[in-house]
Structures are given as C-alpha cells and as structure tokens.
Amino acid sequence: MRFYFSTLAGHRRGVLVLLGWSALEGVPAFFGGRLVGTAVDRGFAAGDPLAGVLWLLAFAALAVAGALGQRQVFARLGDVVEPLRDALVTRVVRGVLSDPAHRRTPDASAVAMITRHVEVIRDATAGVLVQARALLVTTLAALIGLATTAAVLFWLVVLPIIGALVLFGLMLPSLARRQRDVVMADEGTAEASGAVFTSLRDVAACDAADEAHRDITAQVDRQARAAVTVAWANSLRATVIAIGGFAPIVLLVAFAPPLVASGRLTTGAALAAVVYLTNSVNPALHGLARTTSTVVMRLMVALKRLEEAAPPASGDTGDETPAHGEIELRNVTFGWSPGAEPVLRDLSLTLRPGDHLAVVGPSGIGKSTMASLLTGLVAPDSGSVLFGGVPVDRVAPAVRHREIALIPQETYLFTGTVRENLALLAPHASDSHLIDSAEKVGAKQLLDRLGGLDASLGHAGEGLSAGEAQLLALARVYATSASVVVLDEATSHLDPAAEARVERAFAQRQGVLVVIAHRLSSALRANRVLVLDGGAPLLGSHELLIRTSALYGRLMLAWDPTHHEKTPLPKR
Amino acid sequence: MAKPGDALLVSVVRRDHRPWLLLLNAAVATTGGLLLPAALADAVDMALSGEFVLFTVLFLLLLAASEIIGDAIGIVLAASITSRATAWLRHTLSRKLLGLGHPSPFAAGDAVSRMTGDCGNAGGIAVTLITLLVTAVSSAGAIVALALLDWRLAVVFAVSVPLATFLVRTHLQLTADDVLAYQDVSGDVSARLLDAVAGRRTIAAAGIADEETGRVLRPLPRLAAAGAGMWRTQARMMWRAGLLLPAVEIAVLVTAGFGVMAGRLTPGDVLAALGYAALGMGIVGQIPQLTALERTRASASRIAEVLDTPAPGRPPASPGAGVLELRDVSVGTALRDVNLTIPAGTFTAVVGSSGAGKSTLAAVLGGLSSVDSGQVLRDGEVGYAFERPALLGTTIGRSIGYGTTADDARVREAAVAAQVHDVLVRLPRGYDTPLSDAPLSGGEAQRVGLARALVREPEVLVLDDATASLDTVTEAEVDRALTTALPGRTRVVVTHRAATAARADLVVWLENGRVRGTGTHRELWDDRDYRAVFTGGE
C-alpha cells in the first residue's frame, strides 16, 4: 500500500498535470447552472430570445472547453497509470525472484493471478483518478457556483450532502471487508475447479466425482453467498447516497417560496440552484459511491493480494572473504518447521578441493536440503556451514555466487538465444569457451542440432526434452569458474551413460563436487559417499561403506537385482 | 439468429421466479423515475410562485422515495438472481465435466475458464435483459414525456440519438488493435515470469535475481506503448461523448427557452425538459449492454457445448478376483487390436519406448478411459497410481482418502505401506497440512499417490510408471511393502526399468500401439529390440 502511494507520489508531475486539465473540465459545472438560469432570467423569460440563445451558446462553448479538458485528462492518464503498472510489475517480479525462502513455487495460475491483480490496479487507479477527480472538481465547482448564485440556500443544501458523505465513510470498512470476501470467494472457485479439472484422470481413478463436485460446489456456493452479502451493503450505500443527493433538492423547493416572495431569490437563481444539484452534484455523488465501493475496494484488495504474493525483496548481506576453498558442515541440524522431525541431524563434514561427494538415500529424506544448505539458500537451525572458514551467509554475495554453483533438478531456460542461456552465469565467456563447455558435458550434439549458439529457444525450453534442458543447464555451470559445484539430481533425465560423462567432466575440474544422487551409480564414481536414511548420517568411501553398512549393502543390492550380465554395474 | 446457448439461457431465466420480482420492482421504480422530472418542474414552479403547496412537495418526496427504495431493492434482487443463476450453471457444468471423465474433450484451462468466466457471464442474462428492457422503456417514456411538454422538444431530441449511437460504435473498432497488442505483450511477460519462477532455485543460488528481473521485464516498454495507445483512443472517445451530452442539452434548452417565451412552458418545465433529455440519453449508455448480451449468448453457447457432449460409456466392473481381459481393443492410434489376458494375482510389467501406448493400455485396462472398439472385461475394483499424481482434497491426509470414506487410521496404514508416512509426519501440521502448504518432491508425491491407491484395497493395482521418481532403494522398499500390504493382488506396472520388468511374472512389450511380444523378462531379453527399450539403443 505504502509502495503504491509512494510510486504515485513519484509521478506527482503527471498527477498535477491531470488535475490542471481537470480544472478546465470543471468549468461547465461551475458556470452551467448560472448560465442556464441567466438565459431564462434575462433571455427567454424577459422576452429577449437572442440574449437567451447567446447565453446558452456561451454555455455550449464552456462545454466544449470542458470536453477538451476531459480529453486531455484521458490522454494524460497513460503518463501516470502506465509507469505505475511498470513499477508494480517490476516490484512483484523482483519480489518473487529474490525470495529463496519461498517454498511454494507459484504455478501458472498464480502467475496469471499476479497478472490479473496488476491489471486491476492499473484500471482501478485510472478509474479513481478519473472519477474521484471528476467528483472533486465537479462538486466543488458546482457548490461554489451555488454559493455565488443562491447564497441564502447554501447551508441548507450542503449539510445533507456532508451528512451522507460522513455516513458513507463510516460504512466503508464493512464494505471493504465484504468486497474482499467476494474476491477471495472468486479465487476459491477458480482454484477448486482448476485443481479438479487439471486432474480429471485422478478423479476418475479415485472414482471421486462426487467428492470433487462437493469440493467445487462448496466454493461456488460460498461465492454466491458473498455476492449477495456485498449486494446488501451496496444497496445500503446507494440509499444513503441517493437520500443525500435528493434531500437538498426537496429542502430547496420547500424553503424557496418565502425567499422568492420576499425577492431574496430570483427565478434564475432558483433554476440555477436546481440545475447545479441535479446535473452536477447528484451525478458526482453517485459516481463517488460507485467508484469507492467497487473500484477502490477492488484496488485495495488487489494491492493486498499482490503484497502477499510477492513480499518486498530482501537484500543479501555479508562482506567476508573465504580464506580457502574448503566447505565444512559443523553439527548441522535442519527441519522445515520447529515441530517437525528434522531432516538433517547433527551432520559434520569437510570437503576439500578435489573431493567428490555423492549423497545417497531414500527420496524425501533431505538430500535437496543438503544442496540448499551448502549454497546458503537456507540457514541451518543449529550448527554452521562454513566456506573457506567463514559462515556461508556472511561471505560477500558476489564471491559466494561466483564460487558456489548449484544445478537443481528443475532447469531454468528462458526465451532468448542459446548463447544467452549458456552464458547466464558467465556473461563474459567467449563463444569457444561456451562450445567447449557444452562439449565437455556431452551437449555438443544437441548444440549442433539446435543450430549453434545463435539459435533461439522458446519459453521454458520449448521443444527440448527434459534431458536436453538439463544438458544445457549443466554446460552453463561448467562454463563458470565456480570452485564448489552442487548437482542436485541435475542429471535425473539423462541416461546412465550421459550421467557418467557429466559427473566425470565435473570431477576433473579440481574443485569440490557434490552430487545429490538420482541413481546409485553416482556413488561408485565419488571418492566419498554420504548416506542419509533419516537416522545418523553415514560417511565414508564406497568400499568402506559396502563392508561396514548393512543399509548401504541393501541399497546396492536393490539397485540391480536382475543379476544379468548384460546390465553390469558401471566400472569405476 | 438463434445460438446453441439460447435454450440454456431461457431455462436459466425460467427456473427462478425472482426475475419477475425484479421486473415488477423495475416497473415501479421506472414509473417513479419518469414522473420525477415533471414533479420536480411542478415543485420549482411552486417555489417560484412564492407559495408553499404541501401536496406538490409530498408528491415529489413520494416519487423520490419510490425510486430510491426501488433501486435499493433492485441491487439486492439483481445480485441474488445473477449469483443463483451462476451457481446453478456452475453446479451443472462441473457435474457434466466430471461425468465426461478422462480423457476430457475439454482442456483443463478451457474448462476452468468456462466455469469461472462463461458461467458468470451467462448467469447475468436475466438482469442484462431486464436492464435493457427497463432502459428502453424509460428512454421511450422520456421521449413521450418531452412530446407531452412540447412536441418540438421530442423532435430535437430524437435527431440526436442516432448520432450518439454512431459515435459509440466507432470506439469499439478503434481500440481492438491496441487491446490485442496489450494482451500479447502481457502474455509474454507472464510466460517469462513463469520461466524464471520455474528456475528460481538456479536464480537464487546464482544471486542473479536482479538480472533475471530485467530479463522478464524486457517487453515492458512495448506494454506501456500499447497501454498509452489505449488511453489515447479512450481520450478521443471521451471527447466525442463529452461533446454529445451538452450538444443535446443545449438543443433541448434552446427549444425549451422559446417554449417559455411563447408561454407554452413554465421555467420549471425547462428543468423537466433537461431531466427527460438526460433520461432519454440513458439508452445510449446501454449500447455496451448490447455487446454484453452478445457476450452472454456466446458464453451460454460455450456452456451448452459442454452440456451437449455425450458422455462415453465405461464398462462397469463386476466383483471378482481381479482378471483383466482385452479383446481386439483399439483406441485412436494409441492402441491397435490389442488382445491380452492378465490372470488374477499376477504381476505384469508393461514396457515399451515412449509413445508406444503404455499409459493408454494402463488406462483402458482398469476402465479409466473408454475404448473406440473392442471389449474390456474385468472383475474386481481397480486402484491406480501414476508417475505424476495430481493430489486432490483439502489436506494431505484427505488426498490419500480422496473419494473414499477411509478414516485416519486407514489413511495412515496406506501411507506406511507406501513408505511415505515418515515424510508426512515431518510436514508442518502432519497429515492435517493443507495440500497447498505441503511441499512434496516428485518422489514423495508419487508415494502419496500410491497410498491413495492402496487405501481402497483394490483387487487390481495399476501402477503407471508410479515409482519413476523414486530412487532404486525406495522403489524396492515400496515394492516389498506393496506385496505385504496387498498380498495376492493382480498388479499391472508400467515401467522403464529393467529391474522391475525382471521381477514381473509376465512382461507385455508394446510397440507403436501393438503388442510386440509377451513373456518373461529373461525370455524377451535376448531380443536386441527389447533391450533397446531399456538402454535407449546405446
């Protein structure tokens, strides 16, 4: 919310220009009633049609000026609203991308929702700028006009309006709550039906059409109820405003007769007063009520939802330099929440340059957590992760990002050239270096098939298989100068031979290599193996473990129970 | 011209009596609204005469009150009608979509947009129609009222209406290009954000959030340009519309002025004329409503399209020991003339390179999807587990018991058997963790999916690559647990792994939708093509 206003304030100039043109737009409202009154008073009623027509033509000229003002207002709206949208999108995207603690990946529908919220904010801001500004200008102009023509009636007319506005203001919080309920219910319906319709296969497999229908209709009914509830609030709001708008007119005609009789109010002034009220103040009041109860509420809800979707980005800190290339885990314990059983408990381990560690164990046991800890993406609950003797989160970010590279299972490919994709982490790498890196990890053939570095990739590596996408991600990290490389199931979609080639290529780089293993064959290539099975972690070489650990032996046996000579264990 | 959705819209309007109430309410409010300018004119004339007449003021109050109360009732009634109609459409549509089953002829995103967008549009039909009718009546009434004041006023006013219609029409054509460009660029930004979000771990680990933010936002200037274009168009349109109302008003005022001079009209009548002119212009503001009506009909047609799709018949399961038999079964080009008998209690592996028809075979075997020709005979309930199970339900525990009445204890047992209990108790709220707050890896989700199949204690278990993301240890443990939890059940396993095929009693080898061979793994292994299924030809 604060961000929204500060961004708007940043475009003060645009807003001021808008208000300037608004003043022009308000001119007809200011003079309208008076001119109509005068046209009747001095023209038609006085038997001088020429004067009457001329006064009305003057009114027409002002209307043209007003329309011109309105045109400018709309033309300038883009100057305020579009930069605001840009700023919002920028902040949201940065927030989403800079929050490594975000454990729930926003999916396609969440991204679509973010887009929708941003659009709502854009449209609603424009709506508010147009409506609220028109209201302000018109009402003020009309009231001033009223005060100058029928001053005796001024307070009689203004008090009911103020009363209605105050009441309306008091109703706003409950209106806002209900509006928010409607938006939430809308999202609920979309989410519930989205979950079911993307999973019809599973619904059929579970024979759960009834339960699925119940889940959807619960949200549908909630939404219907919310819509009716908000309608009651809106109806009350409309009544207050309508009374506030109409009461002055009734009061005016009721109190005018003695004033007219005593000559304190002319025909023209009385006419002018009614024209001001019916043609300017009343429409503006209704506009305000409509704008506030729908547009402003939608705006506020969207801002709040957006804030939840993308918390403000927090910067990296730390300015220490690691003394050497060793990475060390010291009594590390980590769990996803305080109540839950920790996924890692009291783990200590030192890796020196040249070390090649394979992390094996059942899935879901916390192997990926190891990768996040080593790269400083998450902090341990207790114990410490040291890089070159310095806690990894206190290493200067630039150094940490340069020295420690992670290749996760989910590859990141974006629309752009193959070169841009490969040079993502090594922006200054030469073409030959990139091609060489691709060759080392076995991606040369793929590179040739794509059409070299200048070939372009679509969204999300469109047209590439999952394995091909992984090869590009591997080549990308190979091209960097990172001294610690963590492969977090980064070869899961490669066949065993390609996987072996990749691991050997990285092992030859002389830094620290950590392989979170997808296949057990990875353990045979490593000089150290860490077995995680939920109990105390086991650490040692493959030979040592196979002799001393029953669990490890079982693991290896389960790996190939066919005992068929055609599917031998890979040689070390 | 009649559209397929029109009949649906008629039934939507007819199934509720409230639209009649709304119409009645609108009739009262419209009458009040039409009498109001005249009453106001009388009241102003009374004021100008310098003499207070109670009846005149009371009549004005009465009319105003009827309009205000009518509006208030109208808002609630309209919302109630629309939300009931929308909810009814959504109930009907979701029931039908669920009945169409898997594979659905409607893509998921499409189905959701029909549920949320189209049902919402179509649900507004009664209110849209009544609004149009009421506005038309009150505009016509306003012209009649003008004519009653002075026929010249009606003539002057009537000339301006076609002009207004023309002006509003041009706006729609002008904006289309910019709107399209805006949507395109907006979609591009979303797709880029989705890419980056998928690669968020890479981005976070490399500390390149700023650079990647820049990359996602690269199309932004084009978005701003298209947006500015939209505002400029709108400005032109507002300029015309802004001129229109005063032009009509002044024409009417001049005419009324001469009426006052000739003694045909009182000064109050000038105000009445102004009021009726504004009321008569109401129909111009309703032009977008005509577009809305067209949109409503288009939406109704999209709903009707789903409702009119015949549901495929699926052979019901007869109770029994778990024998599966396919006779000359074909499904599109995915499966052709497949004959297969799987005896009760056996462990069958289905293998083949990708695209060979394995998943289709698995779906057909258990009656998950229908066949184009041939016969599927099966007895016994079938439980399914998939490579990428979509977990449904409110909590992680419920996602295991989904579609059953299984209690907590049975859910827990199933999770233990599927080797996922240890993972689930580590979640923030254990089994009660909402699905959306339960971050599961592919392998964990697979095991929850497996537990979901186990909880039903089926006679036949079909595992469609359901352990592909498990490491070999976990897979072996799951395999052992399955045998213990559900001993003697028929098991059909789609797999890429030689080790799994080697454990099976029978291997069905598929190629291009046909059965290339059946036998044990050992028997088939001597075929070079068979080995290539597992090694990828290397």
Side-chain angles (χ1 to χ4, degrees):
Chain A
M1 201 70 82
R2 191 179 303 153
F3 171 79
Y4 175 73
F5 286 114
S6 66
T7 309
L8 265 188
H11 292 93
R12 237 188 330 264
R13 237 194 80 128
V15 177
L16 285 178
V17 169
L18 264 186
L19 288 179
W21 286 113
S22 296
L24 184 60
E25 192 190 344
V27 165
F30 179 60
F31 290 105
R34 183 199 298 239
L35 286 174
V36 172
T38 315
V40 175
D41 242 3
R42 301 206 192 145
F44 300 110
D48 184 355
L50 187 65
V53 171
L54 281 178
W55 281 114
L56 285 179
L57 281 181
F59 177 53
L62 289 181
V64 171
L68 196 67
Q70 196 176 31
R71 177 183 183 148
Q72 288 298 329
V73 163
F74 271 88
R76 299 303 164 110
L77 214 48
D79 296 345
V80 178
V81 175
E82 301 298 322
L84 174 75
R85 192 262 337 280
D86 287 356
L88 268 178
V89 172
T90 306
R91 191 179 106 112
V92 168
V93 170
R94 178 165 298 140
V96 167
L97 295 186
S98 319
D99 181 20
H102 234 164
R103 292 175 56 218
R104 251 185 90 192
T105 308
D107 53 5
S109 75
V111 168
M113 196 138 75
I114 289 174
T115 315
R116 232 172 19 243
H117 286 321
V118 169
E119 285 312 306
V120 165
I121 292 171
R122 168 180 180 264
D123 290 348
T125 305
V128 169
L129 280 175
V130 169
Q131 294 273 0
R133 179 198 48 77
L135 162 90
L136 217 79
V137 172
T138 315
T139 317
L140 277 182
L143 288 180
I144 295 171
L146 193 65
T148 53
T149 46
V152 277
L153 293 170
F154 185 71
W155 288 110
L156 198 65
V157 167
V158 167
L159 284 178
I161 296 176
I162 292 177
L165 286 178
V166 169
L167 256 179
F168 177 64
L170 292 176
M171 285 159 63
L172 271 183
S174 88
L175 259 178
R177 257 197 323 277
R178 286 171 183 172
Q179 195 74 35
R180 189 178 148 81
D181 289 345
V182 170
V183 174
M184 305 283 287
D186 268 341
E187 285 177 11
T189 302
E191 267 169 31
S193 47
V196 168
F197 294 146
T198 47
S199 327
L200 282 173
R201 178 198 65 182
D202 295 62
V203 174
C206 292
D207 198 14
D210 288 335
E211 179 158 355
H213 192 246
R214 267 202 308 281
D215 285 351
I216 292 179
T217 52
Q219 295 300 325
V220 167
D221 293 341
R222 189 183 123 206
Q223 198 226 13
R225 280 194 303 275
V228 174
T229 312
V230 89
W232 278 105
N234 276 336
S235 149
L236 191 63
R237 176 264 306 167
T239 308
V240 166
I241 289 299
I243 292 174
F246 204 80
I249 299 173
V250 177
L251 288 175
L252 194 129
V253 292
F255 284 84
L259 295 172
V260 172
S262 66
R264 284 165 65 199
L265 193 68
T266 64
T267 309
L271 274 185
V274 178
V275 170
Y276 276 128
L277 285 173
T278 55
N279 283 27
S280 299
V281 177
N282 228 342
L285 269 182
H286 282 277
L288 163 84
R290 231 188 0 259
T291 312
T292 323
S293 57
T294 58
V295 184
V296 175
M297 293 306 152
R298 278 177 61 204
L299 178 66
M300 278 159 59
V301 171
L303 278 172
K304 198 160 164 52
R305 303 290 289 160
L306 211 53
E307 210 158 300
E308 289 162 3
S314 56
D316 267 324
T317 49
D319 55 357
E320 296 190 37
T321 317
H324 47 77
E326 280 181 22
I327 195 153
E328 182 184 358
L329 265 62
R330 204 177 277 170
N331 305 107
V332 166
T333 298
F334 179 86
W336 283 118
S337 74
E341 203 158 319
V343 289
L344 286 179
R345 193 185 313 216
D346 204 24
L347 176 65
S348 295
L349 139 89
T350 307
L351 295 167
R352 298 187 177 81
D355 266 347
H356 174 175
L357 174 79
V359 183
V360 300
S363 54
I365 210 73
K367 288 181 298 186
S368 283
T369 311
M370 268 287 291
S372 297
L373 284 166
L374 285 172
T375 47
L377 287 179
V378 297
D381 295 336
S382 67
S384 49
V385 181
L386 305 174
F387 178 51
V390 179
V392 74
D393 56 336
R394 292 227 297 273
V395 175
V399 176
R400 186 173 79 222
H401 296 317
R402 194 180 61 230
E403 293 301 324
I404 308 179
L406 167 73
I407 315 180
Q409 193 174 7
E410 326 79 48
T411 44
Y412 172 41
L413 293 179
F414 48 83
T415 176
T417 62
V418 173
R419 180 183 294 103
E420 284 176 289
N421 272 281
L422 288 187
L424 178 73
L425 307 177
H428 305 297
S430 66
D431 282 5
S432 60
H433 181 62
L434 292 178
I435 293 171
D436 185 49
S437 303
E439 178 142 32
K440 284 278 172 19
V441 300
K444 185 66 174 47
Q445 229 181 341
L446 169 65
L447 196 63
D448 293 341
R449 181 172 76 70
L450 290 173
L453 293 174
D454 289 314
S456 47
L457 294 180
H459 284 298
E462 194 184 2
L464 295 177
S465 73
E468 290 170 333
Q470 286 189 331
L471 279 180
L472 292 181
L474 289 158
R476 164 193 291 162
V477 170
Y478 196 92
T480 66
S481 58
S483 61
V484 177
V485 173
V486 183
L487 305 184
D488 184 1
E489 304 205 17
T491 52
S492 59
H493 294 291
L494 301 183
D495 60 51
E499 178 177 69
R501 176 176 185 162
V502 167
E503 287 179 9
R504 290 213 184 87
F506 275 100
Q508 278 158 13
R509 282 171 39 118
Q510 291 311 315
V512 172
L513 174 65
V514 178
V515 177
I516 312 289
H518 180 69
R519 295 190 184 86
L520 284 161
S521 43
S522 294
L524 301 169
R525 287 185 286 269
N527 68 339
R528 305 179 70 189
V529 179
L530 174 68
V531 185
L532 296 177
D533 69 341
L538 287 170
L539 186 64
S541 68
H542 169 72
E543 289 79 9
L544 179 77
L545 287 172
I546 204 126
R547 279 201 312 273
T548 56
S549 164
L551 171 84
Y552 192 71
R554 265 212 322 280
L555 279 171
M556 284 294 149
L557 190 67
W559 182 53
D560 185 23
T562 56
H563 302 298
H564 209 288
E565 61 282 344
K566 293 273 169 56
T567 51
L569 290 171
K571 308 249 175 343
R572 287 199 66 182
Chain B
M1 210 164 57
K3 283 192 179 174
D6 291 353
L8 179 67
L9 289 178
V10 170
S11 64
V12 167
V13 175
R14 278 208 178 155
R15 58 176 300 283
D16 195 359
H17 63 277
R18 286 178 186 74
W20 294 109
L21 289 179
L22 182 65
L23 202 58
L24 182 71
N25 176 66
V28 174
T30 307
T31 313
L34 276 173
L35 292 175
L36 201 55
L40 185 62
D42 280 349
V44 169
D45 283 338
M46 171 211 83
L48 293 180
S49 72
E51 197 177 327
F52 183 82
V53 184
L54 184 64
F55 173 77
T56 310
V57 175
L58 283 183
F59 186 57
L60 180 66
L61 266 178
L62 175 76
L63 288 179
S66 83
E67 203 187 8
I68 291 170
I69 294 171
D71 275 353
I73 295 174
I75 289 174
V76 176
L77 260 182
S80 158
I81 291 167
T82 302
S83 60
R84 271 163 189 272
T86 305
W88 178 74
L89 282 168
R90 286 178 175 159
H91 282 222
T92 315
L93 182 67
S94 58
R95 174 54 84 193
K96 178 70 190 190
L97 281 165
L98 284 165
L100 287 176
H102 168 77
S104 176
F106 302 95
D110 186 28
V112 174
S113 96
R114 285 176 209 244
M115 267 293 278
T116 52
D118 290 322
C119 285
N121 286 341
I125 179 66
V127 173
T128 305
L129 281 180
I130 291 173
T131 311
L132 270 174
L133 180 69
V134 165
T135 322
V137 167
S138 89
S139 284
I143 296 177
V144 171
L146 278 177
L148 286 177
L149 282 173
D150 186 349
W151 61 266
R152 295 167 188 82
L153 290 171
V155 171
V156 166
F157 178 78
V159 170
S160 62
V161 173
L163 188 67
T165 321
F166 172 74
L167 283 171
V168 177
R169 280 183 81 84
T170 51
H171 167 245
L172 294 173
Q173 294 157 0
L174 281 170
T175 38
D177 280 349
D178 278 325
V179 171
L180 214 61
Y182 193 89
Q183 284 170 349
D184 274 354
V185 183
S186 184
D188 189 22
V189 173
S190 294
R192 283 163 181 263
L193 178 57
L194 205 56
D195 284 356
V197 156
R200 211 185 44 228
R201 262 187 108 212
T202 302
I203 293 170
I208 49 171
D210 285 345
E211 291 85 339
E212 296 318 287
T213 303
R215 192 189 307 283
V216 170
L217 299 178
R218 207 166 285 164
L220 222 47
R222 282 194 295 137
L223 193 63
M230 280 160 72
W231 292 119
R232 276 195 301 275
T233 314
Q234 190 130 12
R236 278 199 295 277
M237 184 257 180
M238 291 308 291
W239 159 247
R240 295 179 189 190
L243 287 182
L244 184 74
L245 188 64
V248 174
E249 275 178 356
I250 283 164
V252 169
L253 278 175
V254 170
T255 318
F258 281 100
V260 171
M261 220 173 63
R264 287 191 301 266
L265 299 174
T266 64
D269 288 341
V270 176
L271 287 178
L274 213 50
Y276 285 123
L279 208 55
M281 293 291 284
I283 193 76
V284 178
Q286 291 301 307
I287 303 276
Q289 286 283 337
L290 285 176
T291 328
L293 185 63
E294 275 313 298
R295 202 174 56 220
T296 303
R297 292 177 69 204
S299 285
S301 296
R302 277 166 57 77
I303 299 168
E305 187 191 352
V306 178
L307 298 183
D308 294 342
T309 306
R314 284 174 220 286
S318 50
V323 182
L324 304 172
E325 192 178 347
L326 301 185
R327 290 184 194 158
D328 295 320
V329 164
S330 294
V331 180
T333 55
L335 279 187
R336 277 172 287 183
D337 306 321
V338 173
N339 284 292
L340 196 63
T341 305
I342 295 176
T346 55
F347 173 11
T348 305
V350 180
V351 303
S353 47
S354 57
K358 299 187 296 291
S359 287
T360 312
L361 180 71
V364 164
L365 271 175
L368 191 58
S369 53
S370 56
V371 299
D372 293 339
S373 65
Q375 252 187 315
V376 182
L377 304 172
R378 66 191 159 93
D379 53 27
E381 283 299 316
V382 179
Y384 269 99
F386 304 103
E387 182 187 2
R388 289 199 186 84
L391 301 179
L392 293 153
T394 41
T395 63
I396 193 82
R398 195 59 220 141
S399 78
I400 292 176
Y402 196 62
T404 69
T405 51
D407 58 11
D408 287 355
R410 269 179 62 200
V411 163
R412 212 163 263 261
E413 263 171 48
V416 170
Q419 306 286 309
V420 72
H421 173 76
D422 286 346
V423 175
L424 300 188
V425 291
R426 281 190 180 86
L427 290 173
R429 286 169 58 193
Y431 280 78
D432 294 329
T433 308
L435 262 186
S436 51
D437 298 342
L440 296 178
S441 73
E444 291 159 354
Q446 277 183 0
R447 281 176 286 161
V448 174
L450 211 53
R452 187 175 70 182
L454 294 180
V455 84
R456 334 175 79 81
E457 298 181 0
E459 280 79 26
V460 181
L461 207 50
V462 178
L463 309 184
D464 185 357
D465 226 357
T467 52
S469 294
L470 306 192
D471 52 54
T472 14
V473 180
T474 318
E475 193 199 15
E477 279 171 11
V478 164
D479 193 60
R480 215 175 20 254
L482 281 187
T483 321
T484 324
L486 295 177
R489 304 302 162 97
T490 310
R491 242 195 300 165
V492 180
V493 178
V494 174
T495 185
H496 287 102
R497 292 182 180 171
T500 311
R503 283 198 301 272
D505 303 321
L506 175 74
V507 176
V508 178
W509 171 21
L510 288 181
E511 199 175 82
N512 297 326
R514 297 179 193 277
V515 177
R516 168 84 188 262
T518 52
T520 65
H521 182 65
R522 206 169 276 274
E523 286 161 12
L524 293 167
W525 188 256
D526 292 331
D527 191 325
R528 200 166 161 262
D529 291 349
Y530 181 77
R531 289 200 301 274
V533 168
F534 301 98
T535 56
E538 282 178 34

